[in-house]
Structures are given as C-alpha cells and as structure tokens.
Amino acid sequence: MSNKYIGQSVKRVEDKRFITGEGRYTDDIVLPRMVHAYILRSPYAHARIKSIDTSEALAMKGVVAIYTGKDFENINGVPCGWQVNFKDGTTMREPKHPLLVLDKVKHAGDGVAMVVAETKEIAADAAEAINVKYEVLKAVTNPKEALAPGAPLVHDEYPDNIAFDWQIGNDKAEVDAAMDSAHHITKLDFTNNRVVPNAMEPRSYIGDYDTAYDRYTLYTSTQNPHLIRLLMCAFVLGIPEHKVRVVGPDVGGGFGSKIYHYTEEALVTWAAKQLRRPIKWTSDRSEAFLTDAHGRDHVSTAEMGFDKDGHIVGLRIKTYANLGAYLSTFASAVPTYLHGTLLQGVYTTPKIHLDMTCVFTHTTAVDAYRGAGRPEATYLLERLMDVSAHEMGIDPAELRFKNFIPPFDGVNQAGYQTQVALQYDSGNYHAVLERGLEMLGYADFKEKQAEARKNGKLLGVGFSTYIEACGIAPSAVVGSLGARAGLFESAQVRVQPTGKVNVYTGSHSHGQGHETSFAQVVADKLGIPLADVEIIHGDSDAVAFGMGTYGSRSLAVGGSAIVKSIEKVLEKGAKIAAHKLECSTDDLDFADGKWTVKGTDKSIGFGDVALTAYVPHVYPANLEPGLDFSSFYDPANFTYPFGCHIAVVEVDAETGKVTIKRFVAVDDVGNVINPMIVEGQIHGGLAQGIGQALLEGVIYDENGQLTTGTFMDYAMPRADDLPMFETDRKTTPCPHNPLGVKGAGEAGAIGSTPAVVNAVMNATWHLGVRDLEMPLTPQRVWRAMNHK
Amino acid sequence: MELTGSHILHAPVQKIWDLILNPEFLAKVTPGISRLEQESGDLYKAIAEIKIGPVHGKFEGSAELTDKVEHESFVLKVTQNSKIGNVEADIKMVMKPTENNETELSFDGVANMSGLLARTGNRVMSGVANTLTKQFFSNFEKELLNY
C-alpha cells in the first residue's frame, strides 16, 4: 500500500481519446457486410393495427428484409427486472412488451416494423413505403386520469390501468393517529415532472452472428452488458448465454436510460442470425426523445405533521407513479424500493406511511433517471420541510437541526434503523448543514434579503438536506424485495509476468472515469505506477460477470471487488516473496511495491514476485504458478451518502424569470479516491437537478403526442443557466466496505431540485406562492405571483 | 393546433365559390400540391410536398368537402399522411360578400397532428401553417386574374 494516487485529482486517462475524437462508440463500429435497420414507429399513442402492407417497400432496391409483429408472435417480450407485489400479495401485472407490436400500439413511438437494408437511408425510405392502416383510439397520459372510470385502457386485459399498488412504513392507523395528534400539518400536492434523460450518445446496437462458431455478438450502448446478455438470452430470445458475447464499448452517458434492455437490442441480435449479416441500428435524436426510457413522473399528496416545538410526528403520502405503457427493467423498483425506503430522509420522523399506486398510461416507459426514486422522495421531504418552516415561522435551517438524526459512525455507534426498512450505515447531517450555512454566510444573507425586498428585488434561499441509498445492493436484501438478479460485482486482477496489471471489472464506465479512479486504487494497493494498470470493462467475453453501473455502485461495489482480488494477489505474492527471501510470511511487510523482511533491508519488489510467479523455478512447494485472482463482492448494506444543497435565487418581479445567484453544495460521499472526478459528478448532477427544476419537462397533448420532442421544445440546461457552483465535502466513511466509499454519481441530481424550488417559493412567499409545478418557467412563476 | 383567419379576395362570392370547387385551380394555388385528383363527387386525392424550415415531407391523402351550403360555406376535411407524421384537419370555410362585391373568406378549424409533426411543437407548426396560408391566398389572388 502506498498513498501516491488515492485522494489525488489525477487527470482522467480516458479523456484523451474522448476529447480527440478517438473514442469508440457502437455507431463507430463498422463490420464487413453490415446492413442497417430502421424501425417504423407508430405515429399514434393508442391505435389498433388493421393491416400492414410491406409489399411495395420489400420491392425497393437495397431492401434486405422487413419484419413485423407477426414475426414475434411466439417470441417473448422484454422483461421487467423486479417483481413487486400488490398490497394483497398478488403479483404485479406484467404485460408483454413485444419486440414489434402485433395488434395494438400503446404509445407514440411503439415499434411496428423493422426494415433492414443496405444503407440506413434506404431502410428509412422503405419504411415510408410501408402502408399501415390504424384505427386510432383515445389515449390517456396522466396517471390520475388513467384511473378514472371509463379511461382508455393501455392493456385491454387490465381493466383499471393499475400495474400494482404498494405500501411501506408503519401501520397506516398508527400514522393516522400520529397525524391526528399533530399541532401543525403541512399538506401539499406535488407533481414530479417527467423528464427525458438525453444522453449525448443516442442508443446504438449492432447484432452479429458467426455461423462458423454458432455465436452471437451484440455491441450495445448500455450501462450493463452482462445484464443485457442475461435478460436477452434467458427471458427474450431463449438463446444459450455462453454463445452470446455482449460488448458495451465507449458509451456516451446513460443517466439510467441505458439500464433498460430495449427491444432493438434483441431485434438486431435475432435478425443477424436470420440474415447471416451484421445489423446496425442507431437511434436519431427525435427517436431518442420518443423511445429512450423517461424519468420521474409522480403525482403526490404529502402531509407532514409537527408537534408544537417543531418536531416531526408523522409523514403521510399518497403517490401515483406513471410507469408508461410497458414495464422497463427497473420500472417497478424505482417508485417502490428506491423511493419509499428513502422517506425517512435525515430526520427522526417516528411514523411514516407511503401509499403508492403504479399506473399504465399511453406514454413512453419510465425507468431509472439519475437518482431513480430517491430524487422523488427527497423532493417531497425537502419541499415539505421548507414550506412547514415558513408556515410555522421557524427558520428552515433551524427546523432541520431540530429534526436531524444525531451523528453516528456505524462503528462506535450503531447504524440508524429507519421506519421504512433501511438501516443507514453512517451519517453526520448536522455537519453538512453547518458547513453549508457557513459557506452561504446565512446571517449576512438574511440582512441582504431584507434589503433586496425593500428595493423590490425578489431574493430567496432554499435548502435541501438529502440522503440517498447507493452502492446498490446487498443481493439477499434486494432478492427479498423482488429483484430478479443479485446486485454484487466481480473483479479479476491479472498480474502479468512483467508486473503490469490488467483489471477486469464488471462495472461499466459510460463517463464515470473508472479507467482512472479504479486504476488509482490498484496502483496504490500494489505500490506500482498508475501507467502499469489497465482497467478493462464492458466485454462479456473478457469480464467474468458484472451487474453494471447505476445507483452510484461502481466504486462501492465494483471497487470493493477489486480490493478483494488485490488482497488475494498480495497474499500469494507474500508466499512467493517469503520463499525467495527465505523467511516466513509473518516476517514480511508490504509497502511501496515491495516486500521487506521486518527490521532488515532485505526486500523483493512486486515485479520480481510477478516474474517468479510465471517463471517458477525457485518456488514454494504446493503453490500454483501465476498471479491472477477473481473475486465477487456482495455488499453488506447499501451506502448512504448525504449532503446539504442551498440555492439562492432572484426572481424577476416583472417577468417571473428565475436566476440562480448562488448554489452551495456540501456533499458527504464517504472517502474519495479522485476529488476531481467526484466534483465533476456533483456538477453534472446539479445541472440535471436544476434542469428539472427550472427548464425540463415532458408534455404530452390530449392525443398522447409528445409535444416536447426536440431540443427546440425541450429545454436542456446550458452553461448560462447555471451559476458557478460552490462545493465542499465532508467525510463520513462507509463502515462496511473496504474503501469506505459511498458513491457520488447521483447526489447532485437528488439534492438540488428541491433546493431551487424552495428558493423560488421563499422569494415569492410574501406574494402568496406556496407550490408550483416544475419546471418553474417564467410564465408559471409570473402567473403565480400575479394570481392569473 | 387551431387554424383561424380570414382574407379578402377581390372577386364576387359566386366566382370564388366556383374556383374553390375547381380542382385544376386549387392545384395551382395550394402550396406544394403536385397532384390533385377528383376521386368522386367532393372527395379529392391529394399529393403535396412541403418544405418549410424543419418541416420537410411528402404528404399523401385526401381532401373532402362536406356540409356544403352553396355560396356560403362548407367544411374541408383533410387527411394527410407522411413519413414525418399525419395531419387530420376539419376546417369550416365561410364566404361573405363585402360592400365592394368582393369576398371575405374566413376559416376556422383544428388540425390534429401525429408523429414528428406533433413533436416539433405548436410553435414551429403554427408558423408553418401561417406561411402556407399566406402563400395560398397570395397564389389565389394572382391566379384569380387568369380566370
């Protein structure tokens, strides 16, 4: 062990290829004899297919094949990864999500036919020549409207559009009693707006089939290659898993939208064998808006009760989650186990109850989106806290201090058992808020705000003290909650004879910087230069197994698996070193890349030991040659990063435009391997969280048409929408993984959204504004201020 | 998308009415129309190519005149399909003589769009509709002189 790299802002080694245009994404891959697919999509949100005539299209020059729903009548659809049960114990409703629709399209963009042609352009032109006759039906896109009697049905077999209902927390009667006893109750209706993830790289897949070896290869822009292989082989196509290689090459962002096993992945893999030619499909941007899994979309009524001193006595929530037309891979997990379990927040709330109804609508499927369920929980809690504080005349920071769970490190003090199943590992919530207030200069700020008000400026401050469950996840726990997979991670550390090291990790990088931060860990643990370590990921033929990257799990779970393998390498290395140095392993110390006999200057370097392992001439008896170890790491618990985000906004009294003047973020993500990468992750998350609050929002019209389907109609945050972020960190190590890390990928998107909305409400509170639906566009804010 | 507006055409109602029911004339003045054929009675088959800014596509479909009240009004039902989406519109057209024996043609209707047309949003689409309407009336007036 040395401490040369861990904790240092090492520049990302992968960035050279990304910024010089040498990154290799799926669409960059060109295989010999490759043909191109184009998916003809339904222009309607809900319609019966009366007929499909492909004859004209098939006759076009360059068209290789056309497939329709009929070809997949006897092939399974894409599955959901989690089984959640109704309150009464019956299994959730899981409609078939066919690779192509046979009879009824269920959202605008549903795939109706796949044209394969010599070029993408020919395929697109041929798709235009396909004549589909539809009987257009009425559509419903809002979850509450979908539950109304007589609402159009998404799946004819489910006469109420309910996927499942679910609850978590204390007994409902106990929570009702606690609320009845409350001195003050804050009750609000919230909408958590639907957003489009908009990864920079659109989805792209290549299916290939090798007749000589009877072997498939799928290149895919995914967050989890092995998971895609498992789902596609075992659940959809029924092809043998050992005959399938899935490669996730460089992937340009996912944010949760590339967890989903999409129909197009199975389509190109299946058709590659039919045609004996590689097939590429790449989404265009408009298609991405329409078919990439969306995020969020909750409608809630939430109540928080307080005693006369401002202590929370109860929390009662009713939420409707819009799942879209089909169940995505994490569809059922996001609104339940990744949302309901976070409703304790960082507070000592004694009684909590969430009643959840998950609903089908004629919209694009919803899946994980940066934070996945946890932002929705945080939004409810943190909005309620600020509104309650203002209603009760208590300072919002003070109200939080009153209700925080006291600090606990998970070692000397036990973890904190919540009312909603989870046990927090370690936390110090006071520390992050104290630091945030200090950075803000809160005392001075209050004076400034009063002065600004006098001058007609609407200045507001909003708080958010969030917690998240990351490092997903202990397999036994998630298994008991309905996950159809374990959520461990694998790692192989292969030391080459020259002492160079290849590390094969099951965690996939699509922008997170694994090739740098993982290498920092390996280099320090083995005491070798960073350049001597290569991190390999994303290829199921190279990597033993992997559950992928999401839920801020890469370093906490994938990194821990690497540490386990390194420990095995060092244990065996010590035996070789002891043999060479003619001593016992107990007499050895390992530091700075060499084993030294204690109290002497006799030592042997890591490189010499590696060479000896592969040239075992002078070698311990009964020891195998080689230095190459694999490990699987299954975490003992989730990790629980937390933090404090504070937004200062100015609302233009004339136009309602919100400008973020300052944004303070103090995050505690446990130990940090590369501060610059963590900072980058926080910045990216903040941009997305602020984007949801102020700019982004999906709008379907009354016919189920996506009216926000371009970057002209869907506002993404740009640099000039954001202030210079003021960030700092506190460190409360994770007590149950070897690196003490908690994960930082989602924190920014979880904490920032309510902070911004709280700040706008604070700025306009005196005008009677209590809640507004996001995004807080100038029009919405102006109307609320002017009661129009 | 709502479609409303009116325009003064420099000819008496009788003449305007006849011209609007004349497929040859309509094909000349309607922007982008490449073919307009009478299928039966008041039902026409139409093929048009539109290219305005981001909206670019070949449309095929039908146009039908219903609820005809001679020299007064009719309802134009348009169904057009294209790669970039489908349009279904119901537009009520009303003709009124003005004091100068000219015709005020006013229209009022709704167009429902699907596909890419819907996704490009009303902001773009209503601009496209305005441009097409202006072109229609300007062509109409020019062509009027030849009839």
Side-chain angles (χ1 to χ4, degrees), chain B residues 39-91:
Chain B
E39 289 247 303
S40 64
D42 290 325
L43 181 66
Y44 298 88
K45 187 178 169 185
I47 295 177
E49 203 141 337
I50 308 287
K51 184 167 180 13
I52 297 174
V55 178
H56 181 199
K58 187 181 173 192
F59 290 82
E60 280 191 53
S62 65
E64 189 179 9
L65 308 182
T66 64
D67 304 337
K68 278 201 296 192
V69 180
E70 188 150 359
H71 301 159
E72 273 182 33
S73 69
F74 62 89
V75 173
L76 177 65
K77 283 187 190 292
V78 179
T79 308
Q80 290 283 298
N81 300 326
S82 81
K83 191 168 96 178
I84 59 169
N86 306 335
V87 183
E88 278 171 33
D90 262 26
I91 307 159

Side-chain angles (χ1 to χ4, degrees), chain A residues 624-700:
Chain A
E624 290 175 18
L627 202 50
D628 185 345
F629 285 99
S630 291
S631 305
F632 286 77
Y633 176 81
D634 202 341
N637 191 357
F638 290 84
T639 61
Y640 300 90
F642 55 91
C644 163
H645 290 181
I646 306 173
V648 176
V649 304
E650 193 175 297
V651 178
D652 188 318
E654 299 292 322
T655 65
K657 181 174 165 48
V658 176
T659 305
I660 301 179
K661 307 298 278 187
R662 292 181 64 189
F663 199 97
V664 173
V666 183
D667 299 284
D668 189 330
V669 298
N671 290 341
V672 167
I673 304 299
N674 185 320
M676 186 176 64
I677 289 180
V678 168
E679 177 99 0
Q681 287 287 331
I682 298 291
H683 278 218
L686 292 176
Q688 283 177 296
I690 292 169
Q692 186 188 9
L694 295 182
L695 299 158
E696 301 182 47
V698 167
I699 299 167
Y700 284 100

